[in-house]
Amino acid sequence: MTDLLIRAATPEDLDTVLAFWKAAAEGTSISDDRDGVEGLVARDPEALILAEWEGQLAGTVIAGFDGWRCHLYRLAVHPGRRRLGIGSALLAAAEERFVRLGGRRGDAMVLRRNETAQHAWRAAGYVPEEAWRRWVKPLTG
């Protein structure tokens, strides 16, 4: 996989990333829009990590660190490039970032219905914590 480049997203990448998520990511989020992703990259320029294969976007992961917890979102690999190690390379980059920042444990949001993703997360060493439930409240009207 010598043609794989892992790098942080830039503002110029954001439209491509948003289009990529529509094709490669499962589920949607309230922040899956230009303003949401622009805010992420402006606040933490290294949080959105991209994988490029032969100059094309092949995968993404958001590695957010708030100073206390390490959160992983939007691990997505192009459907035609899955099972080639791209997701593993993205997770390795995210975990290296967390360690560099002083993080102790990564957590990921994975849809219950997304069995493919659950297998990938398990293979990467992550385990579900069934005792916890996510509680949400939209902050916009």
Side-chain angles (χ1 to χ4, degrees):
M1 235 186 339
T2 58
D3 294 334
L4 188 67
L5 172 68
I6 303 292
R7 66 174 180 86
T10 65
E12 293 76 28
D13 295 313
L14 302 186
D15 290 331
T16 301
V17 168
L18 288 165
F20 177 80
W21 285 344
K22 288 182 181 185
E26 178 77 20
T28 58
S29 167
I30 196 169
S31 301
D32 287 355
D33 59 21
R34 181 72 188 206
D35 288 341
V37 181
E38 261 180 1
L40 168 70
V41 171
R43 182 187 171 284
D44 187 350
E46 295 182 353
L48 177 53
I49 302 170
L50 307 182
E52 291 181 340
W53 184 307
E54 298 176 350
Q56 298 294 313
L57 184 58
T60 66
V61 69
I62 297 173
F65 182 64
D66 61 14
W68 185 41
R69 301 265 173 108
C70 305
H71 302 287
L72 294 156
Y73 306 95
R74 283 290 177 244
L75 176 62
V77 174
H78 186 281
R81 302 276 187 190
R82 292 184 180 153
R83 302 194 56 80
L84 298 173
I86 296 168
S88 296
L90 284 163
L91 282 178
E95 291 168 0
E96 289 168 13
R97 169 179 155 74
F98 291 151
V99 169
R100 189 173 66 249
L101 294 172
R104 298 179 184 178
R105 177 183 71 184
D107 68 56
M109 306 239 330
V110 183
L111 291 170
R112 287 180 192 238
R113 71 176 185 260
N114 191 342
E115 291 184 27
T116 301
Q118 290 178 36
H119 291 295
W121 285 103
R122 276 192 183 89
Y126 290 78
V127 295
E129 285 191 341
E130 299 297 338
W132 296 92
R133 177 163 296 208
R134 180 174 179 222
W135 292 52
V136 299
K137 176 184 176 184
L139 300 177
T140 57

